[in-house]
């Protein structure tokens, strides 16, 4: 009797484990469909996403991020500001001139003398070359033009530089990535390096690879930048987020993007 | 102004059943949220989606506040004759966003 009970308990435990294992989205590193989303041990957030979310990203039509790509395309040729110029007047055809640009940001900008994200670079171009007002962080045009530019590098491997003038920013980024913060007293690395693939409550932790930004998040019901996501992460671990475009947030974006070096640009990606 | 996007075949055989995929960028503000000052944000959603095929209504759908932002809707039509498929999204504020596509039935 006792034996049967124990066997039944064991069976129940085993069943429970099986159910839990099934809850994770399927991922087989040998699956050829996954090949574009893996680079060595690095895994894009795509491989941690539910099959339904992956399907949404795979089809350009169902991927809501393409609404922003299309908006950005229209903006590319639209003149704005005192100089009466559009992006196109200096940069020509975006499909040629912007190819690969999305793989190297954040990068050191010699003109500004500091590290700039792609969005910050676009705003610099607007104020200094076009004589136009900066786009407000997380506004529709801010995200649209950045997504359009980044999308021109779709499928190309991320390749941010960390040497030369970038080195001090990179070191700071690494320091912050490993620095414990907030009420949970944890650092980026705890979730995204040590515990990637495991659960934080119901949440499956990804490696935190930002190769799909700007990305459409179903939780946000809209598209957003890496800066916004990093702030969201800090909120989730009950730490005070660094201000938008602050040095801290920008070097963290640099460090996180460097971690994704070799993974392909997926912008606009779709995530949960 | 929201931009509708539509994907459907340009040609079809007579009697063929074809799929129409549609999406539109819209915030679908549910009316349940509050702004920073605690005041409710008024509801502003697309409440109705209608489709006509050569002027005749062939599909319509009523949407409520739980429908997600940038709503996606796909449906099937039977190719009866060459002509125009017109889609209209009706906003709470009375605006109508419309687009149409031609189909040739051989």
């Amino acid at each position: 009797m006792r034996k049967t009970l124990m066997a039944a308990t064991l069976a129940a435990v085993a069943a429970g484990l099986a159910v839990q294992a099934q809850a994770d989205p399927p991922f087989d590193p040998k699956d050829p469909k996954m090949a574009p989303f893996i680079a060595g041990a690095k895994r894009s957030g795509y491989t941690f996403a539910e099959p339904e979310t992956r399907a949404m990203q795979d089809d350009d039509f169902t991927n809501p991020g393409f609404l922003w790509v299309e908006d950005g395309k229209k903006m590319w040729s639209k003149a704005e500001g005192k100089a009466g110029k559009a992006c196109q007047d200096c940069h020509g055809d975006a499909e040629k001139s912007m190819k690969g640009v999305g793989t190297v940001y954040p990068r050191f900008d010699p003109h500004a003398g500091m590290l700039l994200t792609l969005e910050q670079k676009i705003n610099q171009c607007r104020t200094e070359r076009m004589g136009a007002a900066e786009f407000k962080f997380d506004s529709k045009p801010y995200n649209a033009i950045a997504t359009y530019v980044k999308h021109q590098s779709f499928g190309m491997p991320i390749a941010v530089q960390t040497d030369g003038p970038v080195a001090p920013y990179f070191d700071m980024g690494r320091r912050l990535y490993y620095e414990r913060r907030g009420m949970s007293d944890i650092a980026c690395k705890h979730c995204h390096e040590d515990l990637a693939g495991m659960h934080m409550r119901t949440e499956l932790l990804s490696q935190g690879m930002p190769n799909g930004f700007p990305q459409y998040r179903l939780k946000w019901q809209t598209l957003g930048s890496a800066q916004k996501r990093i702030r969201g992460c800090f909120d989730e671990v009950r730490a005070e987020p660094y201000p938008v475009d602050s040095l801290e947030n920008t070097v963290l974006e640099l460090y996180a993007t460097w971690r994704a070096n070799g993974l392909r640009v997926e912008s606009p990606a779709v995530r949960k | 102004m929201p931009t509708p996007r539509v994907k459907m075949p340009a040609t079809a055989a007579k009697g063929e059943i074809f799929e129409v995929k549609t999406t539109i960028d819209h915030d679908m503000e549910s009316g349940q949220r509050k702004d920073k000052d605690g005041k409710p944000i008024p509801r502003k959603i697309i409440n109705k989606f209608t489709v006509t095929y050569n002027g005749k209504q062939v599909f319509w759908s009523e949407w409520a506040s739980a429908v997600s932002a940038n709503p996606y809707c796909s449906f099937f039509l039977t190719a009866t004759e060459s002509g125009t498929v017109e889609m209209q999204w009706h906003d709470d504020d009375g605006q109508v966003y419309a687009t149409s596509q031609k189909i040739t039935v051989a």
Side-chain angles (χ1 to χ4, degrees), chain A residues 59-62 66-68 70 74 140 216 221, chain B residues 3 5-7 21-23 25 68-70 72:
Chain A
D59 182 350
D60 287 2
F61 190 82
T62 56
F66 275 84
L67 294 165
W68 278 259
E70 281 177 13
K74 283 181 211 148
K140 189 98 197 251
Y216 192 90
Q221 292 271 295
Chain B
T3 324
R5 301 168 81 213
V6 175
K7 195 176 180 183
K21 292 178 175 178
T22 71
T23 173
D25 62 323
S68 75
N70 311 311
Y72 168 84

Side-chain angles (χ1 to χ4, degrees), chain A residues 88-207:
Chain A
Q88 188 179 269
D89 293 324
C90 292
H91 297 291
D93 183 1
E95 284 177 23
K96 286 182 194 139
S97 65
M98 290 297 123
K99 203 174 159 76
V101 168
T103 64
V104 295
Y105 278 90
R107 82 190 289 193
F108 184 81
D109 188 72
H111 183 63
M114 62 188 283
L115 186 77
L116 292 184
T117 64
L118 182 62
E119 287 88 349
Q120 291 162 3
K121 179 69 188 172
I122 291 169
N123 265 340
Q124 182 207 57
C125 231
R126 283 181 62 81
T127 51
E128 292 181 16
R129 317 261 168 188
M130 295 165 73
E134 276 191 5
F135 284 135
K136 205 175 149 233
F137 173 74
D138 206 30
S139 62
K140 189 98 197 251
Y142 175 95
N143 285 327
I145 193 71
T147 310
Y148 178 61
V149 170
K150 188 85 181 274
H151 181 63
Q152 304 311 320
S153 308
F154 185 88
M156 296 172 75
I158 301 258
V160 292
Q161 297 293 313
T162 57
D163 49 1
V166 189
Y169 294 102
F170 182 71
D171 289 344
M172 183 181 174
R174 173 157 42 201
R175 182 170 63 73
L176 294 180
Y177 201 85
Y178 287 89
E179 186 179 84
R180 288 173 182 268
R181 290 189 79 219
M183 279 170 73
S184 305
D185 198 31
I186 57 174
C188 310
K189 76 115 181 175
H190 288 114
C191 287
H192 297 301
E193 269 187 18
D194 300 353
L195 300 173
M198 298 181 71
H199 293 87
M200 185 192 246
R201 300 207 177 102
T202 61
E203 201 78 344
L204 178 63
L205 296 167
S206 79
Q207 294 180 350

